[in-house]
Amino acid sequence: MKNKSQKPERLLGTILLLLSFMTTNLFAQPVTPIKGESFLLNAVYYSNIDLLFVFNKEYQQALNSGLVFDIDLDFVIVNVRKRRFDREIGKLSQKYTLKYNAFTQRYTILNVNTGGVISHASLVSASQYLGDIRNLPTIDDSLINIEENYQVFLQVSTKAQGVPRWIRALRRNNLNFVTDWIQWPLFD
Amino acid sequence: MATIRLKKIPAKAIMLSLILLSALSLVALMVASDSPDAFNRLQTPLLLVNTVSFFVLFILVLVSGRKLVRDYKKSKLGAKLRLRMTLAFGGLAIVPAVVVFVFATNFMNKGIDVWFDAEVEQGLSNALTLGRTALEEKIQQGLFKTTNIALALTGTDQLDKRLNELRNDSLALELVVLNNELQVIGASTKRLGNLGSRLPSKVEMNQAITKQSWASLDSSVEGEYLIRVLVPILGFSSNETPLYLHSLFSVDPNLSRMADSVEETYARYGRLTFLKTPLQYSYIFTLALVVIVGFIARHLWINRICRATSQAH
């Protein structure tokens, strides 16, 4: 009898433990793509992207310890076709590195594509800067046929530089994260 | 008879090649441990090789153990002696293996802990504070110069020309007059192409509004340190919109180099501290694997000797 009454409690405990593990992982994700939109200007399609960066304590600790993070935005422009396989029109990769300078006590963001550097006094303002991408040249209009349907796909990843795979495997949070793909139409 | 030979030869060959591969991987690990990059690159394949060796040899030990117990149960000739000898030699082999493992782990952890001594960390932190204090004086000088330049500006007529003159006099790298919407009204820069990348943010502008000045130390990709100052221009405005002067000063290259070196060392130390625990675990794991593979290989060898001895008896 005693064992029988303990069974549902155990089951409930296990479910709660699993749920807490799942939600911890859900909230631990450092970046969430919110939305993207594209527009045509001077024969070039540009994109505005909103990302939500939330670096938790562990990421902050890693940054303040001198770890450098690579933040990659991978874009794929796909021609979505009916009754045929979709066709990839172009790929674009926008790369940033985020590091903390203990001397200046500022978070520095390097745009690897342009070489531009900007620094922020707090991680929150650095996160806001990273999450607000405006007027990013995405694809040339000459590659697009206005009669067809095109979708822009985006995946964002964060990766700690110089941490070997075997060390990452030993950590609970391995500091590398890849989001799901989000998509939006290139034009309406 | 032929089938038995065919089965035995691959097993022996696999066993010997795995032991040889494990031994070679350990030598490689020892050589690679001198260079962290090489160590990082080799660690994963070496651990994989050793893990595979461990599992294969472990299965071989289990098979041979099962055979030994079966022989003993069937009271086969020499099985009792073989079992006794295997247990005795196995027992003798396990003690030194455990002793080596415990002592090696202990020494290794203590060795790593010595590197992460609290005094070293405090010393590095002090060096950082000392450097920052030295540069604080330069920041104050930059703030003083910028305030004087802002006072010397009297109107927007020929603003760029006036900024150019004032920049040359003050040895600033860049002078930019902005409105509170961060629009550039006038600018003078020593370095072409750099204007715009170093403009202040809204947050910094708000600090300059509330505190009447904002100053900060900043770094470039090349490791060069810069002093950035933002002050309100009190003498005039543009269409009644308040204006602000943003200036950029370079830090003495020698001082910049030393500051960069201190920062780099501090960051490297921080990175190692952050990775200390997984580093220790990985060393323990590697060592444990090495000891276990060695023990199992020795056990198989002992088993073989015991079989040969009991057959001779």
Side-chain angles (χ1 to χ4, degrees), chain A residues 112-128:
Chain A
V112 181
N113 295 49
T114 63
V117 180
I118 191 151
S119 70
H120 291 265
S122 72
L123 190 54
V124 174
S125 62
S127 307
Q128 280 168 357

Side-chain angles (χ1 to χ4, degrees), chain A residues 2 28 35-36 39 53 57 64 89 105-106 111 126 129 147 152 159-160 175 181:
Chain A
K2 198 181 173 184
K35 66 166 183 164
F39 58 93
F53 280 91
K57 261 188 180 174
N64 293 359
I89 300 296
Q105 294 178 309
R106 292 176 74 84
N111 184 331
Y129 173 82
E147 303 292 312
V152 183
K159 186 183 158 200
L175 300 172
W181 289 94

Side-chain angles (χ1 to χ4, degrees), chain A residues 92-105:
Chain A
L92 171 74
S93 192
Q94 179 72 25
K95 291 176 187 295
Y96 298 94
T97 64
L98 173 66
K99 71 169 276 192
Y100 176 71
N101 187 315
F103 213 90
T104 59
Q105 294 178 309

